[in-house]
């Protein structure tokens, strides 16, 4: 029996700065609520301009201290397969933006493999290692933990994580993590969660800022197929949010979205 997924909710902020600020506030609320309910919380981070801006805003927010960071598990949706500390790695950017400023225990921060890591220059081995880590953290024999929130940036081509339109990873139904070769966006080699792993999240939040994302957002909300429009396949178990600025929402019909508040 297929799982029933609620339709996405679309929330639009006036500009990118307010989008980052409002999303940071949402993260605080979501993590605090999860910890109140289950004792711990988990988040899947994303890279990209708006994704890192959200983390910077979160680091600056006084409300961040409402979160017990010692009980937060941090994962990534994808990573550029580059050496550790490379400024283009999502991990490097996330550490500078947020993780170096909050007391998350090192063992709760789960970066994806680097090209100079224990598996060497072998992204397939790195993908398998990450899949193993997900399985070990999951409960009830599941392949992936039930993340509290999975943050995803939406690209101009509607890619999410490192899942690009009509690429082999879009046909993956079993594996939770894959190596990506020949990425149309540099660098060409990456590691990424697959849609089955993303869909394990209780909530999936898709972030988009700027007019260049407007057509991708429209297609993702217009019953497109996920192979051609990966963002159309990124949905949460309980809730899916499209968090946009006005420019990214400019191709949507009037009344399709809810005006955002901070």
């Amino acid at each position: 029996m297929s799982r029933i997924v609620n339709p996405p909710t679309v929330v639009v902020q006036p500009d990118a700065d307010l989008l980052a600020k409002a999303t940071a506030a949402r993260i605080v609320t979501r993590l605090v609520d999860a910890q109140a309910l289950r004792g711990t919380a988990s988040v899947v981070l994303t890279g990209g301009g708006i994704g890192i801006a959200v983390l910077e805003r979160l680091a600056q927010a006084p409300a961040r201290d409402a979160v017990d960071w010692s009980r937060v598990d941090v994962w990534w949706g994808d990573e550029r397969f580059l050496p550790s500390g490379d400024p283009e790695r999502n991990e490097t950017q996330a550490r500078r933006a947020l993780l170096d400023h909050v007391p998350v225990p090192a063992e709760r921060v789960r970066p994806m493999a680097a090209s100079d890591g224990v598996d060497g220059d072998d992204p397939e081995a790195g993908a398998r290692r990450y899949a193993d880590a997900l399985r070990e953290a999951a409960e009830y024999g599941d392949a992936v933990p039930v993340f509290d929130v999975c943050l995803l940036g939406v690209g101009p081509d509607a890619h999410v994580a490192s899942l690009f339109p009509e690429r082999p990873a879009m046909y993956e139904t079993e594996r939770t993590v894959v190596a990506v070769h020949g990425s149309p966006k540099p660098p060409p080699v990456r590691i990424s969660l697959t849609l089955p792993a993303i869909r394990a999240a209780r909530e999936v939040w898709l972030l988009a800022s700027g007019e260049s994302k407007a057509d991708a957002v429209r297609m993702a909300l217009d019953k497109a197929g996920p192979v051609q429009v990966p963002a159309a396949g990124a949905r949460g178990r309980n809730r899916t949010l499209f968090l946009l600025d006005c420019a990214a929402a400019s191709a949507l019909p009037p009344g399709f979205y809810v005006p955002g508040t901070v």
Side-chain angles (χ1 to χ4, degrees):
M1 182 179 295
S2 61
R3 177 168 54 87
I4 297 173
V5 179
N6 294 325
T9 298
V10 183
V11 183
V12 178
Q13 299 291 343
D15 57 42
D17 186 60
L18 284 174
L19 172 59
K21 183 178 179 181
T23 303
R26 281 183 182 274
I27 292 173
V28 170
T29 299
R30 185 73 189 94
L31 297 183
V32 168
D33 287 349
Q35 289 180 338
L37 187 62
R38 289 179 294 277
T40 62
S42 57
V43 60
V44 178
L45 301 184
T46 186
I50 190 62
I52 298 304
V54 167
L55 301 186
E56 290 172 343
R57 278 294 194 172
L58 180 53
Q60 297 164 7
R64 80 177 201 196
D65 293 331
V67 177
D68 182 349
W69 292 99
S70 71
R71 295 185 293 135
V72 176
D73 291 298
V74 179
W75 303 87
W76 271 266
D78 74 319
E79 186 56 275
R80 299 168 172 96
F81 195 60
L82 297 167
S84 300
D86 189 289
E88 293 302 309
R89 277 180 59 87
N90 292 336
E91 176 199 357
T92 305
Q93 295 176 20
R95 289 186 184 279
R96 291 176 178 172
L98 174 66
L99 299 177
D100 288 346
H101 308 285
V102 292
V104 182
E107 64 272 16
R108 286 187 177 266
V109 179
R110 276 65 172 254
M112 289 181 166
S115 61
D116 60 350
V118 295
D119 297 305
D121 194 15
D122 185 349
E124 279 77 16
R128 289 193 297 270
R129 183 177 295 276
Y130 211 69
D132 289 343
L134 290 168
R135 188 179 302 107
E136 290 170 4
E139 297 180 332
Y140 313 115
D142 291 341
V144 183
V146 181
F147 309 116
D148 288 301
V149 59
C150 177
L151 298 170
L152 296 170
V154 180
D157 59 355
H159 81 266
V160 292
S162 285
L163 303 177
F164 295 93
E166 300 185 350
R167 295 295 173 122
M170 294 312 305
Y171 297 91
E172 187 61 58
T173 60
E174 299 295 330
R175 289 183 295 173
T176 57
V177 188
V178 293
V180 175
H181 296 272
S183 163
K185 181 179 180 181
V189 182
R190 297 158 174 252
I191 297 174
S192 181
L193 297 187
T194 61
L195 284 183
I198 289 168
R199 290 168 178 163
R202 291 184 175 90
E203 298 193 9
V204 170
W205 300 359
L206 295 107
L207 305 171
S209 172
E211 190 174 356
S212 67
K213 312 293 180 63
D215 286 342
V217 168
R218 175 184 55 77
M219 290 189 295
L221 290 164
D222 193 27
K223 300 180 180 180
V227 171
Q228 293 77 28
V229 182
R235 297 293 183 265
R237 292 186 177 201
N238 299 342
R239 185 163 74 151
T240 304
L241 295 177
F242 276 74
L243 303 175
L244 316 172
D245 64 8
C246 281
S250 60
L252 298 178
F256 192 84
Y257 52 82
V258 177
T261 57
V262 178

